[in-house]
Amino acid sequence: MSGSGTYLYAVTRPLAGSSLEGVRGIGGEPVRTVAAGEVACVVSTVGLDEFGEEPLQRNLEDLAWLERVAREHDAIVQALADLTTVVPLRLGAVYVDDDSAAARVARLRSAALATLDVLDGREEWGVKVYAVEPPVQNGTGPADRPSSGLEYLRRRRGELERKAVDAQALAQDADSVFEDLRTVAVLARRHRPQDPALSGVKQPMLLNAAFLVGRDGRPEFHHAVDRLAQSRPEGAVVLTGPWPPYSFATLDDA
Amino acid sequence: MSESFELAVIENRNSLVDLLDRVLATGVVLSGDVTLCLAGVDLVTVKLRALITTVREGGDG
């Protein structure tokens, strides 16, 4: 299937068309807005040879393709966030044409307006917390070998029990950090902790969270993250941002 | 910037994984009429599995 479709990046309040002049979307196509009642769709044209359902499924498995499109998508959303309040869409919403995209969004305009109100003047920050290895216990030296198979099994069970207790302690630690930072944010949500193979960090990730913070609340939030970081080993706490409010964009389909 | 951070590591928004957490796992899900497949699918589980494989295959360990 070839031809072209309309890729939807985000929903905003109506924007002057001129404000997006020169902004290029995926594949270098011009970005434009399409009115959908009291809100606007920000879109560009994409080829269905790349973004049709089947090719898209395939392309999402291709890391180089995914990285390029994710960064292009993000660049547009970020450019919009610099101009106005933005409700980002998940990557990959493609419609047959502008009218179809606008009709879809127009049905959700009251939810979109409510979300825009929540996101006004606010930005997203990411906080990742890594578990840090407890100090090596030297209680069992190399000479201290199990004296029997039974002794080995007993020790092994003790080890597993300790690990279970550790895992529980780590989970509680993550919960308490999350709850703590949540008190200085407007909204908070947890992402799945990143796999070490992806994060490139050997230590397991305890917490991968996003916080919606008012721009005027930034110093207070940073201060709280700073306090958290100071209470932990170097590198255990990583702050990212500011992000457009990806993690807080919802439109409940009424 | 006047704020000083002693220990918190502030990263720029360069990490692909952090970006994918957001653009694939969050953001409004609106079914497109072309890409119906993305609606309601836990895309990130499927895709990240593929990603991990890719990273492992191409990576330096």
Side-chain angles (χ1 to χ4, degrees):
Chain A
M1 192 168 71
S2 61
S4 62
T6 294
Y7 184 103
L8 179 57
Y9 298 91
V11 175
T12 64
R13 294 200 183 83
L15 276 174
S18 59
S19 53
L20 290 178
E21 223 167 87
V23 178
R24 298 281 153 173
I26 292 170
E29 290 292 319
V31 173
R32 56 186 193 277
T33 65
V34 182
E38 304 95 315
V39 295
C41 306
V42 178
V43 303
S44 71
T45 300
V46 290
L48 294 185
D49 54 343
E50 207 177 351
F51 283 90
E53 179 159 0
E54 260 180 48
L56 183 60
Q57 286 282 350
R58 255 198 326 276
N59 285 333
L60 287 169
E61 307 281 347
D62 173 351
L63 185 60
W65 187 93
L66 181 59
E67 170 157 19
R68 174 175 66 80
V69 170
R71 294 207 189 278
E72 287 175 326
H73 178 99
D74 180 51
I76 305 312
V77 172
Q78 183 61 65
L80 290 166
D82 291 343
L83 288 172
T84 184
T85 305
V86 61
V87 181
L89 265 85
R90 191 170 296 196
L91 183 146
V94 184
Y95 297 81
V96 289
D97 57 21
D98 289 6
D99 288 348
S100 173
R104 185 78 185 86
V105 170
R107 274 189 273 145
L108 297 167
R109 63 185 178 282
S110 52
L113 288 167
T115 302
L116 285 163
D117 286 345
V118 170
L119 299 179
D120 272 339
R122 292 168 175 164
E123 58 197 9
E124 175 176 333
W125 290 89
V127 175
K128 298 180 284 186
V129 180
Y130 295 94
V132 174
E133 303 282 322
V136 182
Q137 287 156 3
N138 284 325
T140 51
D144 187 17
R145 315 182 77 166
S147 52
S148 66
L150 199 63
E151 167 68 6
Y152 168 80
L153 289 175
R154 198 180 58 74
R155 282 196 198 171
R156 182 82 187 114
R157 197 172 61 200
E159 218 171 86
L160 291 175
E161 279 166 4
R162 264 197 309 282
K163 272 193 182 149
V165 170
D166 284 353
Q168 203 186 1
L170 292 178
Q172 279 171 0
D173 186 30
D175 290 347
S176 86
V177 168
F178 182 68
E179 292 305 323
D180 199 31
L181 289 178
R182 169 179 230 164
T183 62
V184 285
V186 179
L187 291 171
R189 80 174 270 183
R190 291 170 82 154
H191 292 288
R192 199 171 303 198
Q194 292 165 0
D195 188 297
L198 290 176
S199 67
V201 177
K202 262 199 225 120
Q203 320 298 7
M205 189 178 285
L206 275 187
L207 179 69
N208 184 17
F211 299 90
L212 187 70
V213 178
R215 287 197 187 93
D216 52 1
R218 192 195 275 195
E220 192 193 354
F221 183 75
H222 280 192
H223 189 63
V225 175
D226 202 23
R227 265 201 315 273
L228 170 67
Q230 296 200 27
S231 69
R232 284 165 192 256
E234 197 167 344
V237 177
V238 177
L239 176 67
T240 66
W243 297 87
Y246 287 113
S247 304
F248 304 97
T250 56
L251 290 186
D252 290 323
D253 211 337
Chain B
M1 291 277 143
S2 58
E3 292 156 40
S4 71
F5 285 87
E6 297 289 315
L7 295 168
V9 178
I10 309 179
E11 280 182 350
N12 292 325
R13 308 204 298 92
N14 288 335
S15 152
L16 176 62
V17 183
D18 289 341
L19 178 60
L20 294 181
D21 272 346
R22 289 172 169 80
V23 300
L24 290 180
T26 69
V28 171
V29 181
L30 267 193
S31 52
D33 39 22
V34 172
T35 52
L36 290 170
C37 59
L38 298 193
V41 175
D42 187 4
L43 192 64
V44 82
T45 309
V46 181
K47 300 313 155 197
L48 288 189
R49 199 182 309 127
L51 245 176
I52 289 172
T53 312
T54 313
V55 169
R56 280 190 183 142
E57 281 169 357
D60 44 8

